[in-house]
Amino acid sequence: MPNKLKVVFAGTPDFAAQHLAALIDATNIDVVAVYTQPDRPAGRGKKLQASPVKQLALQHALPVEQPESFKQADAQATLANYRADVMVVVAYGLLLPQVVLDTPRLGCVNVHGSLLPRWRGAAPIQRALWAGDHETGVAVMQMEAGLDTGPVLLEARLPILPTDTSETLYSKLAELGPKALCDALHDLERLQQTAVVQDDAQATYAKKLSKEEAQLDWQQPAVALERWVRAFNPWPICWLACDNGEIVKVWRTDVVAGANAAPGTILQADKHGVVVQTTDRALRLLELQPAGKKPMPAADFLNGRSDWFTPGTTLPQVKS
């Protein structure tokens, strides 16, 4: 394109801010405005805190808009007045009505952290890891009214390693996504003509994570539990209940040989870790966190707490 592409950017967390930074640095893009969620209370003092996207925008003296929604005519008119070529949306957190999707000359483009149509929704990174997917990536998509249903303009792929947690995958995708976005915007009008329509029959949904589903279920295979721990790291962190009623968070595990014992049975608890039987093999707990303490190696945890994991006893099962 001979002229700079006029972009309105909409996003909120650090993942989005890394994409905004790439657009600010791009020579062929002019960011004319930034949209982000209203400031929210945070920290012990519950003081209002600007999002990472807002903080970055203010550093670069970019206009910032923070509407509660786009349902009001004045919010829609404000967007239209920026006369953007395209609106880029990355982890914004607000639903965009059709009138907004139609406002920019080239519509709205979204960066999603999965290989669509797999893992549409709020937690694609964690769900891909938990499910045992061998790869993930980012999809740059032309937005439609449905949830992550628009045609894919460009995608970039990334292998999921056996050591990956959702935190490490998040970091990798935060590097992959901005480049893919800039590549897509550089050739946007051509890519819109060749965009790949998603196959809804292949779609899966990545719902938000909850603390309740982070409780380890010993009726699952060991490899699934090991992935579970990595997928929920660093939030909400997997946990288990001990016989004494204490809740223990589980940060790191591996899979070892099991025994002829009921799922949830503690097979071993020593300096090498706490070994718990599952439906097939066993899960060894390597890094644990009691309430009010920091994460620590299992050996340190057992100092003074050896009665929490007595070999031969069975941990409580997940309540249905």
Side-chain angles (χ1 to χ4, degrees), residues 47-99:
K47 293 183 179 180
L48 290 179
Q49 182 171 319
S51 71
V53 163
K54 180 178 179 180
Q55 294 177 42
L56 179 61
L58 294 178
Q59 290 172 18
H60 291 271
L62 296 173
V64 175
E65 305 287 351
Q66 297 178 274
E68 290 285 350
S69 79
F70 276 102
K71 295 180 180 179
Q72 292 75 23
D74 58 343
Q76 297 169 11
T78 298
L79 175 63
N81 287 338
Y82 283 112
R83 300 185 182 280
D85 293 310
V86 64
M87 184 173 184
V88 172
V89 182
V90 184
Y92 181 26
L94 281 187
L95 290 175
L96 304 185
Q98 190 64 47
V99 64

Side-chain angles (χ1 to χ4, degrees), residues 142-175:
Q142 189 76 34
M143 294 182 69
E144 294 180 345
L147 178 65
D148 301 326
T149 59
V152 176
L153 303 165
L154 183 150
E155 68 177 15
R157 293 174 176 262
L158 182 77
I160 297 178
L161 303 180
T163 54
D164 272 323
T165 65
S166 63
E167 183 175 36
T168 63
L169 275 184
Y170 180 98
S171 297
K172 292 175 183 179
L173 294 179
E175 292 184 6

Side-chain angles (χ1 to χ4, degrees), residues 7-198:
V7 172
V8 166
F9 183 86
T12 299
D14 180 67
F15 183 78
Q18 294 184 59
H19 288 74
L20 175 58
L23 298 185
I24 292 171
D25 291 340
T27 57
N28 63 324
I29 291 170
D30 180 17
V31 180
V32 296
V34 172
Y35 279 72
T36 191
Q37 287 273 345
D39 296 357
R40 306 294 188 196
R44 290 186 177 181
K46 296 299 181 182
K47 293 183 179 180
L48 290 179
Q49 182 171 319
S51 71
V53 163
K54 180 178 179 180
Q55 294 177 42
L56 179 61
L58 294 178
Q59 290 172 18
H60 291 271
L62 296 173
V64 175
E65 305 287 351
Q66 297 178 274
E68 290 285 350
S69 79
F70 276 102
K71 295 180 180 179
Q72 292 75 23
D74 58 343
Q76 297 169 11
T78 298
L79 175 63
N81 287 338
Y82 283 112
R83 300 185 182 280
D85 293 310
V86 64
M87 184 173 184
V88 172
V89 182
V90 184
Y92 181 26
L94 281 187
L95 290 175
L96 304 185
Q98 190 64 47
V99 64
V100 170
L101 297 179
D102 294 338
T103 295
R105 179 175 66 87
L106 297 172
C108 297
V109 169
N110 173 251
V111 179
H112 185 73
S114 78
L115 300 174
L116 292 170
R118 188 162 177 79
W119 303 124
R120 296 172 178 172
I125 297 172
Q126 296 91 334
R127 298 295 174 188
L129 183 53
W130 191 1
D133 291 2
H134 295 296
E135 67 174 352
T136 184
V138 293
V140 182
M141 170 190 65
Q142 189 76 34
M143 294 182 69
E144 294 180 345
L147 178 65
D148 301 326
T149 59
V152 176
L153 303 165
L154 183 150
E155 68 177 15
R157 293 174 176 262
L158 182 77
I160 297 178
L161 303 180
T163 54
D164 272 323
T165 65
S166 63
E167 183 175 36
T168 63
L169 275 184
Y170 180 98
S171 297
K172 292 175 183 179
L173 294 179
E175 292 184 6
L176 193 67
K179 183 181 184 304
L181 173 61
C182 289
D183 288 346
L185 293 179
H186 182 71
D187 203 15
L188 182 57
E189 293 187 71
R190 184 189 67 81
L191 289 174
Q192 287 177 331
Q193 299 301 315
T194 59
V196 178
V197 176
Q198 294 187 43

